[in-house]
């Protein structure tokens, strides 16, 4: 039995090496996708006026 679907869509973005290095310094390269997902979600909530 496989893992349950997360209802995620794959996208491609370009980030500078400096930004990637900063993300990796905080989250680690293995947690990079989760960090980016969380950062995008947080910024969307902030801009929509729904900050937690």
């Amino acid at each position: 039995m496989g893992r349950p679907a997360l209802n995620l869509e794959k996208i491609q973005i370009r980030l500078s090496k400096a930004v990637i290095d900063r993300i990796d310094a905080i989250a680690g390269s293995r947690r990079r996708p989760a960090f980016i997902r969380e950062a995008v979600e947080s910024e969307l909530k902030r801009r929509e006026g729904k900050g937690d």
Side-chain angles (χ1 to χ4, degrees):
M1 191 184 300
R3 293 175 12 195
L6 298 176
N7 196 28
L8 301 176
E9 186 172 331
K10 187 175 183 177
I11 65 166
Q12 189 174 49
I13 63 169
R14 296 178 189 272
L15 300 172
S16 71
K17 175 77 168 108
V19 169
I20 292 169
D21 290 345
R22 290 169 64 196
I23 291 169
D24 289 351
I26 294 169
S29 62
R30 295 181 62 104
R31 295 275 306 145
R32 187 187 300 162
F35 178 91
I36 293 169
R37 279 192 300 270
E38 291 167 11
V40 169
E41 185 65 35
S42 177
E43 183 62 12
L44 286 169
K45 286 179 181 179
R46 186 186 73 80
R47 290 185 183 209
E48 292 169 341
K50 301 176 186 174
D52 289 39

